[in-house]
Amino acid sequence: MTAQVGSKSCVTMALVSADTKISELLTELHQLIKQTQEERSRSEHNLLNIQKTHERMQTENKTSPYYRTKLRGLYTTAKADAEAECSILRHALDKIAEIKSLLEERRIAAKMAGVYSDSDPPRKTMRRGVLMTLLQQSAMTLPLWIGKPGDSPPPLCGAMPASSDYVAKPGDKVAARVKAVDGDEQWILAEVVSYSHSTNKYEVDDIDEEGKERHTLSRRRIIPLPQWKANPETDPEALFSKDQLVLALYPQTTCFYRALIHTPPHRPQDDYSVLFEDTSYADGYSPPLNVAQRYVVACKENKKK
Amino acid sequence: MADPSAQASLQPRPQQTQPSGTAGSSAMPGSANCDPARPGLSQQQRASQKKAQVRAFPRAKKLEKLGVFSACKANDSCKCNGWKNPHPPTATRMDLQQQAASLSEPCRSCGHALADHVSHLENVSEEEINRLLGMVVDVENLFMSVHKEEDTDTKQVYFYLFKLLRKCILQMSQPIVEGSLGSPPFEKPNIEQGVLNFVQYKFSHLAPKERQTMFELSKMFLLCLNYWKLETPTQFRQRSQKDDGTAYKVDYTRWLCYCHVPQSNDSLPRYETTQVFGRSLLKSIFTVTRRQLLEKFRVEKDKLLPEKRTLILTHFPKFLSMLEEEIYGENSPIWEADFTMPASEGAQLGHPTVISPAAVSSTPSFNKSISCSSSLGAMSLDTAASEPKTGEKRKLPEALTLEDAKRIRVMGDIPMELVNEVMMTITDPAAMLGPETSLLSANAARDETARLEERRGIIEFHVIGNSLSQKSNKKILMWLVGLQNVFSHQLPRMPKEYITRLVFDPKHKTLALIKDGRVIGGICFRMFPTQGFTEIVFCAVTSNEQVKGYGTHLMNHLKEYHIKHSILYFLTYADEYAIGYFKKQGFSKDIKVPKSRYLGYIKDYEGATLMECELNPRIPYTELSHIIKRQKEIIKKLIERKQSQIRKVYPGLTCFKEGVRQIPVESIPGIRETGWKPSGKEKCKELKDPDLLYNMLKNLLAQIKTHPDAWPFMEPVKKAEAPDYYEIIRFPIDLKTMTERLKNRYYVTKKLFIADLQRIITNCREYNPPDSEYCKCANTLEKFFYFKLKESGLIDK
């Protein structure tokens, strides 16, 4: 792939340096994971001690000051250990995020090079099935938001809306309301190309025909997709609730349709189960279908078309 | 853009609910197999063609035709038994285009109006009219047969049948052969049972492959018998002096009435010779039939498929000799009514096995008990006969690969050890680096995911169908309802009742795609074994499971299913949304099945395009993309090896960038050093004198360019005139470009030149409607240049 795009040397250089950076980061990540394991086995000993102390206290059936002091010390150590492990894990998560963003940058650079080099023949579009698999993967690898105690989920985590002045970055995936050829309005899955602060308009590419269909749309026609998954076990308030009206990506397509939440996810990796509005069914809704958190956004207009 | 509702529909709207009576009602003989032992096929085709033609007449014309065979009802005293046209057509043959006679037209013999003759048909349904018309056509054909036949016994029978059918038209009744002939079956066990018993009796100890061979031979023998023309009683008497032939004459008459004539005359109920006759007929005919059969195969051996040829020429004579012993032998057990073989051995013949040739044991597979349910019983007997043995038929591909392995290896082919070595490398995980990306890469095969899911048991494929004669199990019925739901959701333009009727029709079957116990897609089809094709009726995958390769995998399973059932053609009417899908599955708008074979059988849809897919029995379709991927990997590795041996590097070809479409292989720099040699004597001959060819082609091209109908093809099509031309036509070509190519010495073989000429014509036909001015030009020009090519000796006459 790289070689084909490489007709412009600067692009090639950028890609090569990104490659080196990524492999460095991967090495660091590997180190961090090893450290996590070391940290765990180290704290294991202390945790075992705590357990034994508790057992001994139970057999002796009294809480002597000795045990109290001992336990306090042990618990302080355990807490420090856990925090250390936690910080390593967070560090590792940061590395993963960094790698992902580098990959994303590289992808955008490659895409730009592809679009703007006219000596290359137009790239064949991806087979639809492949595109669908990619979309599913991207939903699966969307990072789970892990807050510190007391933190509330940030905007764009699960169902949390973006702040009113939020501007999506180039490369971000959004739901975009476009006019189709036949005049109908449709919410499609698109990728941000640019945002103009002077006109307050986005330029977006239809995810389906990469580089082929570009739309210029005002802010209100764009809904940014969540950038983190919300954890149903810790942040259920950041999820859409049952019967809420949403826009959800219809499985195996690149279009968003109005739907009702049937059941919210129970575990971090679970999908929403939603009922799409569909007049071809007797009750006006499709049977429940699964849609990942990544592709469920709030539905702005509540009135029916 | 992906709109689930838009991409859903794969099938067109029905123009009318069902074509009138022509389909289904008749069991036409004839089959796709080009078997040398099948005379009379063209006669059947003519008859069915004629019937289709007559049935397409306007009502008035139909009445006129029936009037000829209807008694006058003007008054009781009128004895006229058929209306005669007062203005008989001048041509000896009835002119089909002729205007229908008016109802008031008087009869030439009794003087009463046509209306008086056909008054009884006034309230008769179109279906019944069509049945009667079928008999009319058959009566006309019988009339011809009576006249042409020289053998008195045969002539007599023809005449009897002629009278019988006439009477039936008059009385609007069903023809039943009466008299002392008795009714079928005439002897038990029948020939078919006897021969199958013979195979079990003699060959069940053999290895599966050899047993399969013998089974194939027995099937072929039975098929031949069913289409074999028996010798007349006179011939029989001459041949076997000691037998007076009375018994044979009875059998011969039975055979004419129940088997032979009905083959081309579908008004009469038809039976297969091997099903209604037993050992006694076989005794009378075997010696002579055997001789004729072997002679026929010898004469036509060049027309046989190569695999079949070995089978027939090496095994068939011995097979027949062994069978002969059993036919004439004193105590042969194969003719006993209760012949059985020990279960352990016998069971293997008819035992249903899994359908998937990949034979991955974990793969849930087609439910055989359903797919060979009695729904097939109504169809032609040769399927009915082989149906219970599907387990054996399945092994056919295996037998074929064995043949392949024996194929003589091509000179200069890569040594097997090298291929094995390469195979070891690419299948060894330790030798290959990098992540497994086959599923994600843009060139992953369309059905890769589906194939993996099937292997893991996530999805299942089953051929199911409804049956009226036996109780279907509940799961099957639930699935059929599921299929009906999927089809009616995905094909919103089809009336739901219509879908229900076909999905639950016992003659239709559906290949169902099951995920988590629920139906998520399927292909509904109807097999016409006698016509040698299958109609694809509905095809859909539920919207939220689309673009996963299921459609492709479904079709591949259907192809393999049909190869096992020896049907090698699919036909379908595709609507505009479905054409793309069918193209990807190997369908084309080029129809090779003769029209007479499907006309009146396949459901006709207005505004839809008829498409056909020819199956190749040697291709394991569900594994094909996988195999090709493997082959590519092997070739890549082989190229790498070769490259490491030959170190010379040539700059790449630039001619393609300059607009040249194709170049001869031998002109690639360095290609000869790799050991490549041009193949075929023809090319070598041509290469000897390139100037001769050049001058010949130059002369030819000049003549073509001056032809009055060459004007549309003189220059490349301008985009301004036909904006979408270059989207539809992938390889544009024209006479000007050809002239340039000739000048550039591109046409180093005549093949390249003829291919370009032919492409001009096919491009034209693809882009323009057939009745357009352009296509007319193309037709004339095509004839012209083929004439010229022949004249100049560039192609054989």
Side-chain angles (χ1 to χ4, degrees), chain A residues 89-103:
Chain A
L89 282 173
R90 280 183 200 283
H91 204 56
L93 283 176
D94 289 345
K95 291 284 172 224
I96 294 175
E98 209 175 328
I99 292 169
K100 282 186 83 168
S101 85
L102 271 172
L103 283 171

Side-chain angles (χ1 to χ4, degrees), chain B residues 655-784:
Chain B
C655 55
F656 298 114
K657 276 192 183 156
E658 287 152 12
V660 177
R661 285 265 179 202
Q662 289 167 313
I663 58 160
V665 178
E666 54 267 36
S667 67
I668 301 171
I671 190 104
R672 281 174 198 279
E673 285 94 317
T674 64
W676 182 87
K677 285 179 200 72
S679 61
K681 343 160 196 139
E682 224 177 314
K683 267 182 201 159
C684 300
K685 195 172 72 195
E686 279 176 352
L687 282 173
K688 270 188 211 154
D689 199 350
D691 283 333
L692 187 69
L693 182 71
Y694 175 82
N695 288 330
M696 225 162 166
L697 296 180
K698 193 178 160 190
N699 188 8
L700 201 62
L701 196 58
Q703 289 185 49
I704 291 168
K705 276 159 74 178
T706 50
H707 189 275
D709 280 326
W711 58 269
F713 317 112
M714 294 305 277
E715 282 185 18
V717 173
K718 290 187 185 65
K719 215 172 170 178
E721 285 163 19
D724 59 344
Y725 188 82
Y726 292 95
E727 278 162 41
I728 293 168
I729 301 300
R730 281 175 63 214
F731 300 108
I733 178 76
D734 59 275
L735 294 171
K736 190 179 168 197
T737 311
M738 282 187 70
T739 316
E740 279 160 18
R741 287 185 178 184
L742 184 69
K743 242 181 244 163
N744 296 334
R745 297 280 175 153
Y746 162 79
Y747 297 119
V748 287
T749 67
K750 65 182 186 189
K751 213 171 119 195
L752 287 170
F753 181 80
I754 298 171
D756 270 357
L757 270 182
Q758 189 54 54
R759 191 170 290 285
I760 292 186
I761 306 298
T762 41
N763 282 351
C764 175
R765 288 191 184 136
E766 190 170 346
Y767 187 77
N768 300 297
D771 51 348
S772 64
E773 190 62 32
Y774 295 116
C775 278
K776 282 177 193 157
C777 287
N779 292 341
T780 347
L781 197 68
E782 188 185 31
K783 276 198 202 105
F784 175 74

Side-chain angles (χ1 to χ4, degrees), chain B residues 224-474:
Chain B
C224 288
L225 272 191
N226 282 335
Y227 288 89
W228 206 253
K229 212 170 163 177
L230 302 191
E231 56 177 348
T232 63
T234 324
Q235 287 168 329
F236 179 83
R237 269 192 301 273
Q238 279 167 1
R239 187 170 54 85
S240 53
Q241 268 95 18
K242 47 188 174 192
D243 196 321
D244 69 351
T246 346
Y248 181 73
K249 193 175 166 182
V250 173
D251 274 344
Y252 179 75
T253 313
R254 285 169 170 169
W255 171 78
L256 274 178
C257 294
Y258 289 103
C259 309
H260 181 64
V261 175
Q263 275 181 15
S264 58
N265 182 321
D266 62 1
S267 307
L268 295 165
R270 175 177 174 217
Y271 300 87
E272 299 287 21
T273 313
T274 55
Q275 297 246 323
V276 295
F277 291 99
R279 189 183 187 179
S280 60
L281 179 78
L282 201 54
K283 266 183 173 170
S284 336
I285 63 168
F286 186 78
T287 26
V288 65
T289 311
R290 177 177 112 161
R291 202 182 58 228
Q292 290 170 344
L293 255 176
L294 290 176
E295 180 59 26
K296 186 150 183 111
F297 279 128
R298 240 192 313 279
V299 171
E300 302 192 357
K301 64 169 186 272
D302 292 329
K303 292 186 200 161
L304 297 172
L305 295 173
E307 314 84 74
K308 258 198 162 176
R309 198 183 305 156
T310 8
L311 189 71
I312 289 166
L313 296 181
T314 57
H315 298 290
F316 205 39
K318 184 161 170 257
F319 176 92
L320 291 179
S321 304
M322 287 176 81
L323 182 59
E324 184 178 27
E325 280 175 34
E326 297 309 314
I327 292 171
Y328 297 106
E330 288 287 334
N331 322 306
S332 171
I334 65 166
W335 303 104
E336 281 162 27
D338 52 355
F339 173 85
T340 44
M341 283 296 287
S344 58
E345 291 167 64
Q348 297 196 342
L349 259 185
H351 190 67
T353 46
V354 287
I355 198 159
S356 169
V360 183
S361 54
S362 65
T363 310
S365 220
F366 289 74
N367 187 337
K368 273 322 289 177
S369 60
I370 302 305
S371 71
C372 56
S373 75
S374 61
S375 64
L376 263 185
M379 298 191 187
S380 104
L381 295 165
D382 71 50
T383 351
S386 53
E387 192 63 14
K389 308 288 184 220
T390 38
E392 268 302 297
K393 271 191 159 181
R394 282 232 180 92
K395 288 173 189 145
L396 191 65
E398 213 177 299
L400 286 178
T401 41
L402 187 76
E403 288 290 328
D404 289 353
K406 284 185 195 153
R407 200 173 45 193
I408 303 161
R409 296 183 60 80
V410 183
M411 284 292 284
D413 206 352
I414 292 140
M416 211 53 211
E417 306 82 67
L418 184 57
V419 175
N420 286 339
E421 201 185 313
V422 170
M423 278 298 283
M424 292 291 279
T425 322
I426 61 173
T427 47
D428 177 11
M432 300 298 276
L433 277 178
E436 177 59 64
T437 51
S438 69
L439 277 183
L440 276 177
S441 77
N443 43 28
R446 197 173 277 120
D447 55 346
E448 185 75 25
T449 325
R451 192 165 36 228
L452 271 173
E453 287 190 11
E454 186 188 5
R455 206 159 291 167
R456 290 182 190 143
I458 300 169
I459 54 171
E460 300 170 21
F461 294 84
H462 300 273
V463 174
I464 58 170
N466 194 13
S467 166
L468 299 178
S469 53
Q470 72 189 73
K471 211 164 174 279
S472 298
N473 89 32
K474 198 179 163 203

